[in-house]
């Protein structure tokens, strides 16, 4: 029994040194140490280029003192009269928002002080420090983020003897250290936080999910008392909820493993299975794997003879503590691996806002300072209050998958409630809105993995003030899809209109939910009512988000049903404190509809999150790559810009006396429709032709940017031709931001000939087994 004193002055009289009785190769395999402030020896001489030292801790609070990771030589036991030397001293000083890098040999040498905001640490969350040894320098990362400044090798790296973790207060705790080893790690995986492993309670720092593993390491002793691994909702020796209790009962006990759960003080039905083999004095590993509906338990890689189901009343996210219990006669728990990500704070590179008042510049919300006192100069402020379209927007360094946005509100005596109902977006994806609570300084909004390259906060009801905004997530990969609000600019329709509540207000990108803001629709009567947006072509619709009005009659939205084409997505269930409703659709179609029976229908915004789809039945755009021309060119707005796939670049004519744009296909094609993208009023009356035959005219509507012109002539649903021409109205310029010439592949053979049989009336002499005659010409 050894007494181990920490730098903090705390003494543990019951900690056992497991290294003295475990063979060195066993320890070297894992290369992890149980962690409190202490010295940890390298198990081979010195450091080498390519080595990585990784330390994990749990951050206490913003009041913590400085804390450090240090590479030193010689070891204290060999020191004699020689002073200790620091090859590298990485000293975190969150109260000054800096990291101090230095070395020591006969005195401290020249410091390097990179700025590093305290906001890179989160109270109660795991953080990670990596020191990578390069050819002539050290490179330091915190939470996978490069400090941006390296530190030179001032002393030979071959002289490194041990690593020491120092300092911290107000709850800061070092939890794990991974040192370089001659053998590859086979225990804890990279990035996994470890705790000091003794019998006790260990907090889980994030919600468990299927696929997570809890791994406990120990040393077995003969004739030990029973010992267990427990996943619990709470800590303490009194009544408590156990989602699973894995109880090992070795000889001379029952020689069984007992699996059970517990609610309050009542144990539930036991499951008993055979005891695995343990060896005296040898290290063992217990792994609890979280599946979709059950736990699977293994010892040293061998699964037990029984699994354990998730019982009613328990969910993985309820588990807040891992409890390692029991053992005697030298049996000891040594390490515990719990799931937790490295801190994933995303850097915000620039910020803008719609207006500025009281010198509240937008960049203040990303300056790394959490001070909520407006007089300290670190909070933003809009110029105007409600109904002003207030927003703040910040760009990430790269497209990212965002899990959470944290908003720090002002904390002085003024105006804290103004943040209430502020809405948070990642790109076009709505995450949620702030629910103000008195005496709360920060508000966390889950974004559920939304993909985008900017974060936007909208407040239409009041002034917008933000004292800091933090975004958490990870860099997007190739398979991470960014959803876009595809509705704005497409044609809309509703069964009736009252109080000037035109249908296109619902897709004007303005989420103001007060009717006097002139951005909400309104039906003329109690219906039945329907509102729809026509997306022209088929799209995959992931989610439909509906913003309800907040100033009157909010409960009228109750019972409204959402559809993609005629496929049902869901029904809105009105809640008094909620004005935004999210419907998961995951359906493919060309129209999004909202229907309401027996009530007025008012929609302040409808956001349709989706993407174009290439599934069967999708029209082919035959315009790209074709020859185009126009009567005249205004500036750089050439005719090719109408078929470049970019809605922000437009073809524009310079002559109002005879404005036209023409596209010539390689061969005659059956053309179903021509889609014209233009937001200019001068598009009104423009005539669309195929080989001189009229398809139709564009009828301009304010706020609409997409016009679908069907090409039917002489009762045929399509026109056959190779030249598409758009002719502007006399006296008007012609501006075309995109033109799509759509052909139905089901109606056109690969040879270019038309399939005249498609969808025409059919008959057959008889029908059997449901084989209707129309199936032969359905294009499938």
């Amino acid at each position: 029994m050894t007494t181990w004193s920490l730098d903090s002055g705390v003494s543990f009289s019951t900690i056992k040194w497991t290294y003295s009785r475990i063979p060195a190769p066993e320890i070297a395999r894992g290369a992890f140490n149980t962690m409190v402030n202490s010295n940890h020896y390298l198990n081979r001489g010195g450091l080498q280029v390519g080595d990585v030292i990784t330390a994990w801790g749990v951050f206490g609070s913003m009041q913590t003192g400085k804390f450090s990771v240090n590479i030193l030589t010689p070891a204290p036991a060999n020191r004699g009269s020689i002073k200790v030397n620091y090859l590298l001293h990485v000293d975190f000083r969150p109260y000054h928002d800096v990291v101090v890098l230095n070395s020591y040999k006969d005195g401290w040498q020249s410091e390097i002080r990179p700025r590093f905001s305290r906001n890179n640490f989160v109270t109660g969350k795991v953080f990670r420090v990596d020191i990578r040894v390069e050819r002539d320098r050290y490179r330091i990362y915190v939470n996978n983020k490069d400090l941006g400044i390296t530190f030179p090798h001032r002393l030979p790296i071959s002289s490194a003897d041990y690593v020491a973790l120092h300092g911290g207060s107000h709850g800061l705790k070092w939890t794990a250290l991974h040192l370089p080893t001659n053998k590859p790690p086979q225990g804890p995986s990279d990035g996994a936080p470890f705790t000091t492993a003794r019998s006790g309670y260990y907090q889980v720092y994030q919600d468990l999910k299927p696929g997570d593993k809890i791994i406990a390491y120990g040393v077995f002793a003969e004739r030990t008392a029973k010992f267990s691994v427990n996943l619990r909702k709470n800590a303490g020796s009194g009544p408590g909820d156990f989602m699973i209790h894995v109880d090992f009962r070795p000889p001379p006990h029952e020689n069984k493993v007992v699996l059970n759960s517990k609610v309050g003080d009542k144990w539930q039905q036991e499951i008993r299975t055979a005891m695995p083999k343990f060896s005296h004095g040898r290290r063992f590993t217990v792994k609890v794997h979280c599946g979709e509906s059950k736990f699977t338990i293994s010892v040293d890689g061998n699964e037990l003879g029984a699994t354990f189901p998730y019982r009613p009343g328990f969910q993985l996210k309820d588990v807040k503590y891992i409890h390692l219990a029991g053992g005697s006669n030298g049996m000891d728990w040594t390490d515990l691996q719990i799931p937790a990500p490295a801190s994933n704070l995303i850097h915000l590179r620039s910020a803008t806002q719609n207006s500025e008042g009281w010198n509240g510049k937008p960049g203040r919300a990303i300056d790394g300072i959490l001070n909520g006192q407006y007089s300290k100069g670190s909070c933003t402020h809009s110029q105007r209050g409600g109904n002003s379209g207030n927003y703040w927007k910040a760009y990430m360094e790269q497209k990212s998958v965002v899990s959470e946005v944290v908003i720090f509100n002002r904390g002085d005596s003024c105006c804290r409630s103004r943040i209430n109902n502020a809405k948070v977006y990642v790109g076009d994806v709505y995450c949620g809105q702030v629910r103000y609570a008195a005496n709360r300084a920060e508000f966390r909004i889950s974004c559920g993995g939304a993909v985008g390259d900017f974060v936007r906060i909208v407040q239409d009801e009041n002034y917008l003030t933000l004292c800091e905004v933090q975004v958490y997530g990870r860099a997007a990969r190739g398979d991470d899809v960014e959803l876009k609000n595809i509705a704005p600019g497409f044609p809309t329709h509703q069964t009736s209109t009252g109080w000037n509540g035109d249908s296109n207000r619902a897709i004007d990108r303005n989420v103001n939910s007060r009717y006097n803001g002139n951005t909400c629709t309104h039906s003329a009567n109690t219906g039945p009512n329907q509102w729809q947006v026509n997306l022209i072509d088929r799209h995959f619709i992931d989610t439909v988000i509906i913003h309800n009005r907040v100033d009157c009659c909010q409960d009228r939205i109750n019972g409204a049903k959402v559809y993609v084409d005629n496929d049902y997505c869901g029904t809105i269930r009105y809640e008094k404190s909620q004005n935004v409703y999210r419907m998961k659709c995951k359906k493919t179609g060309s129209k999004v509809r909202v229907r309401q029976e027996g009530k007025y229908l008012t929609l302040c915004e409808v956001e349709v999150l989706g993407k174009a789809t290439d599934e069967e039945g999708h029209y082919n755009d035959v315009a790209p790559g074709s020859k185009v021309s126009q009567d005249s060119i205004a500036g750089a707005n050439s005719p090719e810009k109408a078929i470049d796939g970019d809605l922000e670049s437009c073809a524009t004519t310079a002559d109002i006396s005879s404005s036209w744009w023409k596209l010539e296909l390689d061969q005659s094609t059956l053309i179903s429709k021509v889609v014209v993208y233009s937001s200019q009023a001068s598009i009104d009356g423009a005539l669309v032709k195929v080989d001189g035959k009229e398809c139709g005219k564009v009828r301009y509507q304010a706020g609409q940017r997409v016009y679908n012109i069907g090409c039917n002539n002489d009762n045929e649903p399509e026109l056959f031709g190779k030249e598409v021409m758009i002719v502007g109205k006399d006296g008007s310029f012609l501006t075309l931001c995109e033109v799509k010439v759509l052909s139905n592949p089901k109606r056109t053979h690969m040879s270019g000939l038309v399939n005249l049989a498609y969808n025409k009336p059919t008959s057959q002499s008889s029908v059997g087994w449901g084989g209707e005659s129309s199936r032969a010409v359905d294009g499938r």
Side-chain angles (χ1 to χ4, degrees):
M1 188 82 62
T2 302
T3 299
W4 190 8
S5 295
L6 308 184
D7 292 351
S8 61
V10 179
S11 179
F12 295 88
S13 61
T14 58
I15 287 182
K16 298 181 178 69
W17 289 96
T18 60
Y19 300 105
S20 64
R21 54 189 174 76
I22 301 177
E26 289 285 318
I27 286 296
R29 281 212 311 264
F32 267 76
N33 295 318
T34 53
M35 279 317 308
V36 286
N37 296 14
S38 188
N39 303 324
H40 301 277
Y41 298 88
L42 297 167
N43 66 2
R44 58 165 160 78
L47 292 171
Q48 301 171 5
V49 173
D51 281 345
V52 179
I53 295 167
T54 304
W56 287 266
V58 176
F59 192 73
S61 72
M62 294 301 171
Q63 286 75 44
T64 186
K66 61 183 181 179
F67 52 98
S68 62
V69 182
N70 307 275
I71 304 173
L72 304 103
T73 186
N78 303 326
R79 181 187 306 172
S81 60
I82 304 174
K83 292 181 178 180
V84 64
N85 293 326
Y86 287 72
L87 282 74
L88 176 64
H89 171 63
V90 182
D91 192 26
F92 295 92
R93 302 182 183 182
Y95 46 87
H96 285 155
D97 290 317
V98 298
V99 179
V100 176
L101 308 178
N102 208 345
S103 56
Y104 183 99
K105 184 179 181 182
D106 300 323
W108 287 108
Q109 300 179 321
S110 176
E111 291 181 347
I112 298 176
R113 288 177 165 249
R115 176 177 170 79
F116 193 74
S117 170
R118 72 194 76 179
N119 296 326
N120 289 289
F121 301 101
V122 179
T123 298
K125 296 287 187 180
V126 174
F127 66 90
R128 169 178 172 167
V129 180
D130 291 285
I131 300 174
R132 300 181 184 272
V133 183
E134 299 183 351
R135 186 174 60 85
D136 57 355
R137 69 195 69 193
Y138 303 97
R139 189 176 298 275
I140 300 99
Y141 299 81
V142 181
N143 299 330
N144 298 318
K145 179 180 179 181
D146 192 339
L147 281 185
I149 295 180
T150 58
F151 189 83
H153 295 168
R154 294 176 177 173
L155 298 175
I157 60 175
S158 59
S159 66
D161 199 13
Y162 67 100
V163 175
L165 303 179
H166 293 157
S169 61
H170 291 83
L172 183 137
K173 182 174 73 170
W174 290 109
T175 59
L177 177 67
H178 184 225
L179 300 177
T181 175
N182 290 322
K183 297 187 178 183
Q186 297 176 11
S189 59
D190 184 41
F194 268 65
T195 67
T196 306
R198 289 286 303 164
S199 298
Y201 295 88
Y202 301 98
Q203 188 171 355
V204 178
Y205 293 102
Q206 68 169 20
D207 290 347
L208 294 180
K209 60 186 182 301
D212 282 342
K213 302 177 183 67
I214 293 92
I215 307 176
Y217 297 79
V219 176
F220 186 75
E222 290 180 351
R223 305 189 67 79
T224 179
K226 62 183 182 178
F227 53 97
S228 63
V229 179
N230 306 275
L231 277 61
R232 302 186 56 168
K233 287 185 178 181
N234 42 30
S237 57
D241 292 347
F242 291 66
M243 188 169 183
I244 184 172
H245 168 65
V246 183
D247 194 25
F248 296 91
R249 301 181 182 182
H253 309 287
E254 303 169 49
N255 201 25
K256 294 284 186 183
V257 181
V258 176
L259 309 178
N260 207 347
S261 54
K262 184 181 181 184
V263 178
D265 58 357
K266 294 183 179 180
W267 287 105
Q268 300 181 310
Q269 183 67 41
E270 291 182 348
I271 297 176
R272 291 171 175 258
T273 188
M275 187 77 175
K277 183 179 179 180
F278 293 92
S279 298
H280 179 69
R282 302 293 291 180
R283 192 180 192 200
F284 67 89
T285 301
V286 178
K287 181 185 295 184
V288 180
H289 179 270
C290 305
E292 292 292 339
S293 61
K294 64 184 178 182
F295 294 107
T296 303
I297 303 98
S298 61
V299 176
D300 294 334
N302 300 311
E303 291 185 7
L304 297 184
T307 58
F308 191 80
Y310 301 161
R311 289 179 168 171
F314 289 100
Q315 299 181 63
L316 284 175
K317 66 176 183 167
D318 296 331
V319 175
K320 302 303 179 187
Y321 294 91
I322 310 299
H323 180 205
L324 301 181
S328 63
N329 292 318
M331 182 271 158
D332 204 7
W333 292 111
T334 60
D335 287 301
L336 174 66
Q337 180 181 350
I338 55 177
S343 178
N344 49 2
L345 186 67
I346 296 173
H347 179 63
L348 301 176
R349 59 181 172 85
S350 62
T352 60
Q353 59 191 18
N354 67 301
S355 66
E356 180 186 315
W358 295 269
N359 202 33
K361 300 182 184 303
R364 288 181 170 187
I366 57 173
D367 62 4
I369 301 173
L370 301 183
N371 194 319
Q373 303 293 316
Y374 197 82
S375 61
K376 299 300 182 182
S378 186
C379 301
T380 72
H381 206 302
S382 63
Q383 175 64 43
R384 297 175 295 277
N387 283 347
S388 301
N390 289 323
Y391 72 85
W392 176 92
K393 182 177 181 180
Y395 291 90
M396 294 172 269
E397 288 186 327
Q398 59 186 320
K399 188 171 291 186
S400 300
V401 179
V402 177
S403 57
E404 185 178 53
V405 175
V406 182
I407 297 174
F408 292 83
N409 193 24
R410 64 186 296 176
D412 47 23
S413 60
C414 173
C415 328
R416 285 176 287 185
S417 63
R418 289 176 176 174
I419 197 67
N420 190 49
N421 289 332
K423 297 172 182 177
V424 178
Y425 291 80
V426 172
D428 285 345
V429 178
Y430 171 77
C431 297
Q433 61 190 128
V434 174
R435 300 300 185 193
Y436 172 73
N439 301 319
R440 258 183 84 182
E442 65 183 72
F443 299 90
R444 295 179 175 270
I445 307 298
S446 173
C447 290
V451 180
D453 55 10
F454 66 87
V455 172
R456 183 165 50 102
I457 300 174
V458 179
Q459 176 58 290
D460 276 308
E461 300 180 16
N462 220 315
Y463 290 95
L464 179 60
T465 295
L466 305 167
C467 293
E468 192 70 14
V469 177
Q470 295 176 342
V471 179
Y472 290 88
R474 61 168 174 82
R477 298 186 290 260
D479 57 348
D480 293 315
V481 177
E482 180 180 5
L483 296 175
K484 293 286 190 179
N485 179 12
I486 56 179
F490 281 98
T492 59
H493 178 266
Q494 59 191 14
T495 49
S496 64
T497 301
W499 293 271
N500 298 317
D502 293 333
S503 63
N504 62 2
R505 288 183 173 185
I507 57 168
D508 62 0
R509 291 190 180 273
N510 191 329
V511 296
N512 189 330
S513 294
R514 297 183 181 276
Y515 201 79
N516 62 5
N518 299 320
T519 183
C520 301
T521 72
H522 206 303
S523 64
N525 50 55
T526 57
N529 287 306
Q530 175 175 285
W531 175 95
Q532 79 169 27
V533 56
N534 184 352
L535 304 173
I536 309 300
D537 209 351
R538 292 174 67 79
H539 290 72
F540 172 75
I541 310 300
D542 182 89
T543 307
V544 176
I545 297 169
I546 294 177
H547 296 252
N548 190 27
R549 67 182 295 181
V550 297
D551 52 350
C552 166
C553 331
Q554 295 95 317
D555 59 346
R556 290 177 179 172
I557 200 68
N558 188 54
K561 293 178 170 61
V562 179
Y563 297 82
V564 172
D565 290 347
N566 290 315
D567 292 335
Y568 173 73
C569 293
T571 300
I572 293 176
R573 303 300 180 193
Y574 168 73
E575 294 185 20
K576 187 174 182 180
S577 61
Q578 182 176 346
N579 79 303
V580 182
Y581 298 88
R582 191 188 331 240
M583 292 291 168
K584 275 289 183 184
C585 290
K586 294 191 177 298
K587 301 181 187 300
T588 299
S590 61
K591 296 180 176 66
V592 173
R593 298 182 168 107
V594 182
R595 295 172 180 166
Q596 180 64 293
E597 300 283 344
K599 296 177 184 176
Y600 288 97
L601 180 60
T602 295
L603 305 168
C604 293
E605 192 69 13
V606 178
E607 296 167 330
V608 180
L609 302 180
K611 59 182 179 177
T613 177
D614 292 325
E615 74 161 22
E616 184 180 0
H618 181 76
Y619 286 102
N620 287 338
D621 182 8
V622 296
S626 300
K627 180 182 177 181
V628 290
S629 59
Q630 61 192 42
D631 70 284
S632 58
I633 300 175
N637 300 311
S638 62
E640 290 80 12
K641 291 191 174 182
I643 58 170
D644 63 359
D646 184 356
L647 297 181
E648 304 303 320
S649 69
C650 306
T652 304
T653 62
D655 186 356
I656 63 173
S657 62
S658 176
S659 57
W660 55 262
W661 178 92
K662 183 168 66 176
L663 176 143
E664 296 176 68
L665 300 170
D666 291 337
Q667 60 182 3
S668 292
T669 301
L670 197 64
I671 297 171
S672 304
K673 57 181 75 175
V674 176
V675 182
V676 177
Y677 291 74
S678 180
S679 59
Q680 301 297 313
S682 58
I683 196 67
D684 185 55
L687 179 63
V688 179
K689 299 179 179 182
V690 173
D691 279 4
K693 297 178 182 178
E694 182 177 329
C695 285
K697 287 185 178 181
V698 175
R699 298 303 181 192
Y700 170 76
Q701 290 190 30
Q704 184 171 323
R705 63 168 182 164
V706 187
Y707 299 91
N708 179 27
I709 308 300
C711 292
N712 48 357
N713 189 44
D714 297 330
N715 298 318
E716 286 293 320
E718 293 97 356
L719 287 177
F720 194 64
K722 63 180 297 184
E723 180 186 277
V724 176
M725 195 166 185
I726 301 177
V727 181
K729 186 172 63 176
D730 288 346
S732 296
F733 295 109
L734 188 61
T735 297
L736 304 171
C737 295
E738 198 70 15
V739 176
K740 293 184 178 182
V741 179
L742 302 182
S743 176
N744 189 338
K746 293 180 180 179
R747 289 273 284 152
T748 308
H749 189 266
M750 65 182 66
S751 66
L753 298 176
V754 177
N755 176 14
L756 298 175
Y758 173 63
N759 265 354
K760 290 296 191 291
T762 59
S763 63
Q764 60 190 24
S765 58
S766 63
V767 177
W769 295 273
E772 300 288 347
S773 62
S774 59
R775 290 182 176 182
V777 293
D778 64 0
R780 300 180 183 179

